[in-house]
């Protein structure tokens, strides 16, 4: 079973997404509301995949991404964000994320990414 964490300041959205993942037989080990919480959850649970929002208060997704990649350069991260500029996309290129989805996202596309990139 795939283990995941979700890092997103939109709590309701994260909880609904967690329920979707559970329907796909993915163990959601934790939900974080900012990048700092996300790094702590990553250290604690060592998930197979991290679902990460970029724009969050206090510590953003780039903070989490950088710190998680310091812990494990091969960490699998899927970005799910409502706001993505060209500059942000260029910054993401340096981190080797699995995929980027803009909200509102397609659950079918996320399921396909999980099947193709995470379960292999």
């Amino acid at each position: 079973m795939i283990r995941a964490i979700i890092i997103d300041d939109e709590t309701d959205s994260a909880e609904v997404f967690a329920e979707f993942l559970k329907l796909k037989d993915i163990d959601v080990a934790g939900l974080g509301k900012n990048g700092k919480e996300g790094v702590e959850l990553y250290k604690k649970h060592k998930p197979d995949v991290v679902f990460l929002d970029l724009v969050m208060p206090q510590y953003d997704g780039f903070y989490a991404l950088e710190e998680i990649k310091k812990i494990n350069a091969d960490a699998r991260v899927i970005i799910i964000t409502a706001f993505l500029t060209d500059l942000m996309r260029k910054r993401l290129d340096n981190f080797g994320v699995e995929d980027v989805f803009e909200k509102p996202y397609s659950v079918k596309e996320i399921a396909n990414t999980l099947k193709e990139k995470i379960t292999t």
Side-chain angles (χ1 to χ4, degrees):
M1 179 178 273
I2 296 173
R3 177 178 292 188
I5 60 172
I6 301 169
I7 307 165
D8 192 335
D9 62 317
E10 294 179 21
T11 306
D12 291 341
S13 176
E15 289 173 356
V16 169
F17 186 56
E19 290 302 315
F20 159 74
L21 292 175
K22 289 175 187 175
L23 290 173
K24 295 293 181 182
D25 293 324
I26 295 169
D27 175 30
V28 178
L31 301 174
K33 294 182 184 119
N34 63 48
K36 187 174 183 181
E37 287 181 17
V39 173
E40 292 167 6
L41 284 170
Y42 187 84
K43 288 177 184 177
K44 180 178 179 180
H45 297 289
K46 303 286 191 230
D48 300 305
V49 63
V50 176
F51 291 96
L52 178 62
D53 187 14
L54 292 177
V55 181
M56 295 178 283
Q58 299 166 333
Y59 295 88
D60 68 9
F62 284 104
Y63 169 85
L65 185 56
E66 185 173 339
E67 294 302 311
I68 288 169
K69 289 291 189 168
K70 283 179 187 175
I71 296 166
N72 178 5
D74 296 325
R76 293 178 162 180
V77 179
I78 296 175
I79 303 299
I80 299 179
T81 188
F83 183 76
L84 186 65
T85 65
D86 288 339
L87 180 59
M88 293 166 81
R89 195 174 286 279
K90 285 180 186 176
R91 282 183 69 192
L92 288 173
D93 288 343
N94 297 326
F95 290 103
V97 298
E98 299 299 316
D99 218 330
V100 178
F101 294 95
E102 291 187 65
K103 296 175 186 175
Y105 50 81
S106 162
V107 292
K108 183 178 180 181
E109 288 179 18
I110 291 173
N112 287 339
T113 293
L114 288 170
K115 183 179 178 182
E116 294 170 10
K117 296 183 180 182
I118 306 302
T119 58
T120 57

